[in-house]
Amino acid sequence: MDWGDAHLPVCSGSTPLAGPSLLIHGGAWAIPDDEIPAHLDGLNRALARGRQLLERGESALRVVVGVVTVLESHPAFDAGVGAVLDRDGRPQLDAGVMDGSSLAWGAVAGVRTVANPVQLASHLVHSSGQARFMVGEGAERFAAEAGMPHVEPERLIVARERERFEALRASNSFHTSDAFSGASGGRSASGASGVDSAPRGTVGCVALDARGQLAAATSTGGAPYTRPGRVGDSPIVGSGFWADTSAALSATGWGEAISTVQLCARTADAIASGAAPAEASGARLTQMREQIRWPGASPATGGLISLSASGVGGWAFTTPRMARGGWTPEGGAWACVERE
Ligand code: ASP
């Protein structure tokens, strides 16, 4: 498939008004054809877990953590097992979680020895607020105190990412965090231009529970072959994730751009002002691409999922494909990666 340049029109869609419901994503980029089955498998497993939790009457917060745990544990995505590797050949993981009813949130960045960073972030949601955002070694020590198992970073690495790393190192690619552009070190949907050919399989979930409360969670391995220590948008509250009493959102895409425009919180404000989730998401993504004009940088593309307090879900993306899915009691589960 030939995607032409990166200025694809925004693609968006919505789910109708529903009760307890959820939306998920597994990244927005030029997902290669031969990786689609694995993406759909991961999405469907996560939706099954989300459905189970919602039908059991669990809180939105528990649902998003449970669902993102499944996505992190699936090797198709750039999160948890299967994450991309940095220039040292190691995964560095970021995650954020937020409860819309209390605005309590937690986030971690740059952790390497935790298989499910979303669970570590959720421990911080429940803290009394001394620490909400922890990084690196301190976050890993906190994980041990919270009773989370220590994993060797090697156990998070899959062959696909080892090969990508070797290819990027061999090509001496300076695939820095300020541009997902250039070599992808691997396969992508043919014809995709630089920014969208780099793997961006961040995962996320937004949920509305039976009590009408919202929550959001996002988890990522960040950008391939990036500098150790680089942090994108995913663990930044209001940028890569957000939930309040009006809306819950999770973002994916070029982290430096997304955090600059505080994509999730600003889109939530638009939804609170009456905009429909799909339209608000599409408009903010389009605006981000128009506004970010850093010299030499690729177009600022990405994807968003959003859910309003009334149960209307929406998604939008400006990339060739976006792995996404949802579940509502009436409509059941669906998952797809293509533009519509
Ligand atoms: N937004 C993530 C980051 O910049 C990457 C992605 O969405 O795949 O770290």
Side-chain angles (χ1 to χ4, degrees), residues 44-326:
N44 283 316
R45 286 171 190 266
L47 290 170
R49 179 74 179 136
R51 171 191 181 160
Q52 187 185 48
L53 292 170
L54 277 173
E55 287 185 338
R56 206 195 279 167
E58 298 284 3
S59 69
L61 186 62
R62 288 179 77 107
V63 172
V64 298
V65 173
V67 169
V68 169
T69 296
V70 174
L71 292 166
E72 286 177 337
S73 304
H74 196 288
F77 308 106
D78 175 19
V81 175
V84 301
L85 308 183
D86 68 13
R87 286 191 203 178
D88 289 343
R90 298 187 298 169
Q92 47 177 4
L93 308 178
D94 309 331
V97 187
M98 189 161 188
D99 171 43
S101 59
S102 61
L103 296 194
W105 61 278
V108 295
V111 295
R112 301 181 189 276
T113 60
V114 176
N116 292 109
V118 73
Q119 293 184 6
L120 182 54
S122 79
H123 282 292
L124 293 166
V125 176
H126 302 294
S127 74
S128 53
Q130 303 96 324
R132 294 234 164 261
F133 188 11
M134 298 191 71
V135 304
E137 193 203 326
E140 290 171 355
R141 286 197 343 229
F142 175 67
E145 284 167 29
M148 294 186 65
H150 171 102
V151 295
E152 290 305 321
E154 279 292 317
R155 282 195 39 214
L156 302 173
I157 301 176
V158 299
R160 179 194 67 229
E161 296 310 326
R162 175 72 69 201
E163 281 166 24
R164 192 192 315 280
F165 168 76
E166 295 300 349
L168 286 165
R169 185 163 65 172
S171 69
N172 198 21
S173 169
F174 289 96
H175 196 84
T176 57
S177 59
D178 61 337
F180 276 95
S181 57
S184 65
R187 304 146 308 135
S188 68
S190 64
S193 54
V195 67
D196 292 324
S197 65
R200 299 194 303 191
T202 293
V203 303
C205 178
V206 291
L208 175 70
D209 64 26
R211 288 172 299 162
Q213 295 183 345
L214 291 157
T218 302
S219 180
T220 192
Y225 209 63
T226 191
R227 292 180 190 280
R230 177 264 180 184
V231 178
D233 61 300
S234 303
I236 309 287
V237 64
S239 296
F241 68 101
W242 179 262
D244 58 24
T245 53
S246 301
L249 299 99
S250 173
T252 180
W254 182 13
E256 282 67 15
I258 291 169
S259 50
T260 300
V261 302
Q262 298 155 12
L263 187 63
C264 284
R266 291 202 177 180
T267 309
D269 284 346
I271 295 170
S273 301
E279 282 69 41
S281 299
R284 289 287 157 178
L285 282 167
T286 303
Q287 189 181 43
M288 177 173 84
R289 189 170 57 185
E290 286 165 0
Q291 284 181 320
I292 301 279
R293 299 210 173 272
W294 297 334
S298 298
T301 56
L304 260 181
I305 54 172
S306 50
L307 190 56
S308 75
S310 54
V312 177
W315 62 90
F317 55 100
T318 50
T319 50
R321 286 173 169 151
M322 178 177 186
R324 60 198 187 279

